[in-house]
C-alpha cells in the first residue's frame, strides 16, 4: 500500500515562509486554479511586480498616479479583465477600513485563483535594496514564466514515499547544476554571467517546488533518503551561497536577486 506523509494535511493549511540571506522567500499551497493562458499569467505577474515597486517607492502607499501607470500596463499586457477591474479601483486613491480590507481580500483571492504567489512577489521586491530605476531594469531582464507560482495541493498529494527517491534525485541534480554555476563566480562580470546561465534552470526549479515545500515544512530528517541523495550537495551549495552573499555577489544586482528567488 502506498503511504502518505501525515504532515501533508498541515502543509495544505499553513503557508511556508523561509528567511534567506538575501530576501524573504515563500512557497505556498492552493487548490486548483482557474486555467489562464501563459501570456496572461505572465502579464499578471509583471503588473504585480510593477505595483510592488511603486508601493515600495511610495512608502507602502498606493497613489493615484502609480495606480494609473500599472493599470495602463495591465491593459497593455492584456491581463485578465477581472484583475484589471480590481486594479482600476486603486486609481480612486487610498482606501481605508473595511473597504481596504475587502479590496486586499479580492486581490488575494484573484491572484491565488490564477496560481500566482502575490506574497512572494511583494517580499521579493521589498528585499531588493536598489533604487526604482535599477529594479525596473532588473525586472525587464527577469523572466517570470517559471517564478512566483503557487504549489497545488494535488502536487503535494503525489509525493508518496515510493516516489520520493525520484523527486530527491531531481532536486539533487538541480542543486548540483546550481553549484557548478555558483562556483564560476569570482568577479562582477562572472556573477552577471552566472545569473544569465542560471535562467535555463528556472523550469526545473519550478518543477521541484513541491518537494522543496515538503522539505521546508517537515525537515530533512522526515524525508527518507534525503541525507544520502541530497545532503552533501545541498550543504556545499549552502556554504557557497553564504560566501557569495558575504561578498554581496560582487555587486551583481542580477545575481543577488536571482539567488533570493532560488533559495531553498
Amino acid at each position: 500500500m502506498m503511504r502518505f506523509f501525515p504532515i501533508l494535511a498541515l502543509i495544505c493549511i499553513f503557508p511556508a515562509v523561509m528567511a534567506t540571506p538575501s530576501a524573504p522567500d515563500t512557497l505556498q499551497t492552493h487548490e486548483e486554479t482557474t486555467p489562464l493562458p501563459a501570456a496572461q499569467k505572465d502579464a499578471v505577474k509583471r503588473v504585480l511586480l510593477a505595483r510592488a515597486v511603486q508601493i515600495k517607492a511610495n512608502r507602502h502607499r498606493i497613489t493615484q498616479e502609480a495606480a494609473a501607470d500599472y493599470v495602463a500596463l495591465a491593459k497593455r499586457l492584456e491581463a485578465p479583465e477581472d484583475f484589471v477591474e480590481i486594479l482600476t479601483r486603486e486609481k480612486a486613491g487610498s482606501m481605508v477600513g473595511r473597504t481596504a480590507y475587502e479590496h486586499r481580500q479580492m486581490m488575494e483571492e484573484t491572484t491565488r485563483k490564477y496560481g500566482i504567489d502575490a506574497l512572494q512577489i511583494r517580499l521579493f521586491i521589498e528585499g531588493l535594496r536598489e533604487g526604482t530605476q535599477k529594479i525596473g531594469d532588473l525586472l525587464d531582464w527577469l523572466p517570470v514564466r517559471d517564478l512566483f507560482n503557487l504549489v497545488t495541493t494535488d502536487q503535494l498529494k503525489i509525493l508518496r514515499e515510493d516516489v520520493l527517491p525520484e523527486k530527491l534525485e531531481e532536486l539533487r541534480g538541480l542543486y548540483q547544476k546550481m553549484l557548478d554555476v555558483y562556483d564560476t563566480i569570482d568577479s562582477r562580470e562572472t556573477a552577471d554571467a552566472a545569473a544569465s546561465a542560471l535562467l535555463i534552470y528556472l523550469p526545473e526549479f519550478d518543477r521541484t517546488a513541491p518537494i522543496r515545500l515538503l522539505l521546508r515544512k517537515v525537515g530533512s530528517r522526515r524525508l527518507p533518503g534525503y541525507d544520502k541523495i541530497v545532503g552533501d550537495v545541498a550543504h556545499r551549495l549552502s556554504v557557497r551561497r553564504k560566501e557569495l552573499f558575504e561578498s554581496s555577489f560582487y555587486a551583481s544586482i542580477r545575481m543577488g536577486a536571482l539567488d533570493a528567488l532560488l533559495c531553498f
Side-chain angles (χ1 to χ4, degrees):
M1 179 180 295
M2 295 178 180
R3 293 186 293 166
F4 295 80
F5 288 93
I7 197 70
L8 287 181
L10 295 176
I11 295 176
C12 295
I13 297 174
F14 298 107
V17 180
M18 179 181 179
T20 66
S22 304
D25 181 38
T26 65
L27 280 175
Q28 300 186 72
T29 60
H30 69 122
E31 302 298 331
E32 289 305 307
T33 64
T34 298
L36 193 68
Q40 280 197 310
K41 191 172 182 179
D42 290 351
V44 174
K45 293 177 185 178
R46 291 286 181 195
V47 175
L48 287 175
L49 286 164
R51 178 176 179 269
V53 171
Q54 290 297 329
I55 291 176
K56 178 182 179 181
N58 291 305
R59 299 182 179 181
H60 302 283
R61 293 183 301 109
I62 297 177
T63 66
Q64 292 176 295
E65 295 78 7
D69 287 342
Y70 52 72
V71 168
L73 175 63
K75 292 179 179 179
R76 185 165 69 251
L77 296 179
E78 299 183 349
E81 291 184 5
D82 58 343
F83 177 67
V84 176
E85 289 176 3
I86 294 172
L87 290 176
T88 301
R89 298 183 180 188
E90 297 180 354
K91 293 173 63 176
S94 299
M95 301 179 191
V96 296
R98 185 164 185 81
T99 299
Y101 171 78
E102 291 177 348
H103 180 75
R104 288 194 300 270
Q105 288 294 105
M106 189 178 301
M107 177 70 76
E108 179 180 342
E109 291 172 3
T110 300
T111 53
R112 286 180 67 85
K113 177 180 68 174
Y114 291 136
I116 297 172
D117 193 341
L119 174 61
Q120 188 184 34
I121 288 176
R122 178 174 63 81
L123 293 177
F124 169 64
I125 294 299
E126 288 183 357
L128 297 175
R129 298 186 178 90
E130 290 72 27
T132 300
Q133 181 59 53
K134 289 186 177 180
I135 292 178
D137 293 341
L138 170 69
L139 297 181
D140 288 341
W141 166 81
L142 184 70
V144 298
R145 181 67 49 89
D146 299 297
L147 295 171
F148 311 117
N149 296 317
L150 290 170
V151 176
T152 67
T153 52
D154 283 346
Q155 286 177 309
L156 288 175
K157 289 177 182 178
I158 66 171
L159 294 179
R160 305 178 302 268
E161 287 191 36
D162 61 315
V163 303
L164 272 181
E166 175 186 345
K167 299 302 181 181
L168 290 172
E169 286 287 355
E170 184 176 8
L171 186 61
R172 184 203 64 77
L174 173 61
Y175 286 173
Q176 184 61 61
K177 293 171 186 175
M178 290 172 59
L179 179 60
D180 291 343
V181 175
Y182 276 57
D183 279 343
T184 66
I185 300 174
D186 59 9
S187 66
R188 167 66 184 275
E189 291 72 21
T190 55
D192 283 341
S196 296
L198 285 169
L199 295 181
I200 65 172
Y201 300 127
L202 290 183
E204 196 170 343
F205 175 76
D206 191 42
R207 288 195 301 271
T208 60
I211 188 67
R212 289 186 290 107
L213 175 55
L214 180 59
L215 174 62
R216 292 181 185 187
K217 297 308 290 184
V218 307
S220 59
R221 294 182 179 179
R222 295 289 299 276
L223 295 187
Y226 175 86
D227 287 340
K228 180 179 179 180
I229 299 172
V230 186
D232 178 64
V233 67
H235 172 71
R236 287 187 286 124
L237 179 57
S238 178
V239 170
R240 182 60 179 144
R241 285 187 58 246
K242 182 179 179 181
E243 293 171 349
L244 291 171
F245 174 76
E246 291 174 348
S247 71
S248 299
F249 297 95
Y250 293 92
S252 170
I253 297 174
R254 292 181 177 182
M255 189 61 221
L258 197 57
D259 177 80
L261 293 171
L262 294 175
C263 289
F264 62 95

